Amino acid sequence: MVAGPCAVESFEVLDEIAGKIRAAGANILRGGAFKPRTSPYSFQGLGEKGLQILREVGDRHGLPVVTEVMDPRQIPLVERYADMFQIGARNMQNFDLLKEVGQSRKPVLLKRGMSATVRDMLMSAEYILSEGNPNVVLCERGVRSFEDSTRNMLDLSAVPNVKAQSHLPIIVDPSHATGRPDLIPSMACAAVAAGADGVHIEVHSCPEKALSDGPQALLPHQYAAVMEQIRRLADVMGKTIPSV
Ligand code: PEP
Ligand code: MN
């Protein structure tokens, strides 16, 4: 169970969020220090300062941390602070980046590209695996479609589809898939019912002040309620959510 704000904004904000998601049962803290924003004028992340905050807060709460790496040149820096690399949707086919994280042994969270097929995603994973890094987790985060009432269209069939073709774990990100807090709880549960190995949800203590993706963030108490539902569903599915 991966959770956290879209971006690392400050020690205080991240610390508050981390305490609450940990109490709700999250296993991994996520926050972006390098953000791939559509507009170059939007908040781009705190860079190394954000990585330092993420590491410190993760350690304070006993949570391993995952954060996005956007460029092969950032890998040594990100590797110093993070327990897991995230490759974002926009970089799913940045093959040089994939090969470079393949040289590391740290696990990689590989998000599905917004126009990528399941096969494309599996081939991107191969770029990492074939360099010698076996630790890849896939992430379904929705694909672009004609539907404009949601941010993307969640392809839940990707979960059993991947499972039929690959040994790799796959998690679902209903936050970026729907962009809508009112739809995230049901899609998170549907993901678990479809066999997902985990769920990534964006959580913020004050979404209206968030520097990125505020409108899709769940409040900590909403996250705790989803986690309660997921726990019950996981039980039905014969799965357990480890405590960190
Ligand atoms: C994110 O995880 O905050 C993000 C930018 O997601 P994606 O790469 O799936 O768009
Ligand atoms: Mn985000």
Side-chain angles (χ1 to χ4, degrees):
M1 293 295 134
V2 186
C6 184
V8 177
E9 299 170 0
S10 71
F11 177 86
E12 291 71 23
V13 171
L14 190 66
D15 191 54
E16 182 184 355
I17 297 168
K20 292 190 168 151
I21 61 157
R22 173 115 168 53
N27 310 108
I28 300 179
L29 175 65
R30 198 204 75 128
F34 295 102
K35 292 303 303 176
R37 305 306 300 280
T38 299
S39 165
Y41 309 114
S42 300
F43 177 61
Q44 302 286 308
L46 297 178
E48 184 167 8
K49 181 76 197 151
L51 295 172
Q52 286 166 350
I53 293 171
L54 182 65
R55 179 78 264 158
E56 195 178 338
V57 171
D59 287 345
R60 253 171 68 78
H61 295 275
L63 289 167
V65 297
V66 56
T67 196
E68 179 159 355
V69 60
M70 290 170 56
D71 186 298
R73 291 168 295 187
Q74 294 165 350
I75 291 176
L77 181 69
V78 172
E79 187 159 30
R80 275 211 295 286
Y81 293 99
D83 300 300
M84 184 182 206
F85 294 111
Q86 173 177 318
I87 306 280
R90 289 155 194 79
N91 270 314
M92 190 206 79
Q93 288 187 312
N94 181 338
F95 299 119
D96 288 335
L97 181 61
L98 299 174
K99 283 190 257 182
E100 207 64 31
V101 293
Q103 298 282 330
S104 168
R105 288 300 169 271
K106 286 210 169 160
V108 180
L109 180 60
L110 178 64
K111 299 190 81 173
R112 182 177 183 176
M114 52 187 85
S115 305
T117 65
V118 166
R119 182 181 153 77
D120 292 337
M121 176 164 64
L122 290 170
M123 286 299 119
S124 286
E126 289 297 328
Y127 270 91
I128 303 170
L129 303 174
S130 63
E131 291 293 321
N133 186 348
N135 305 310
V136 177
V137 177
L138 303 171
C139 180
E140 163 60 38
R141 46 76 76 203
V143 290
R144 280 271 162 95
S145 82
F146 53 83
E147 177 55 61
D148 60 4
S149 63
T150 52
R151 185 172 176 178
N152 291 290
M153 189 174 275
L154 178 57
D155 176 11
L156 273 183
S157 72
V159 174
N161 195 349
V162 160
K163 291 210 164 280
Q165 301 181 63
S166 171
H167 67 289
L168 294 174
I170 177 165
I171 71 168
V172 171
D173 171 357
S175 298
H176 293 88
T178 68
R180 284 177 45 181
D182 59 324
L183 303 182
I184 291 168
S186 46
M187 291 303 96
C189 289
V192 176
D197 298 293
V199 178
H200 161 249
I201 294 178
E202 285 188 348
V203 179
H204 202 287
S205 45
C206 190
E208 57 282 6
K209 289 206 184 128
L211 297 178
S212 74
D213 283 351
Q216 72 189 29
L218 290 192
L219 288 162
H221 79 269
Q222 294 173 317
Y223 180 68
V226 180
M227 281 297 292
E228 201 37 57
Q229 282 182 298
I230 289 178
R231 235 189 304 278
R232 294 216 300 273
L233 256 174
D235 200 38
V236 173
M237 299 292 293
K239 292 186 170 176
T240 46
I241 302 170
S243 49
V244 186

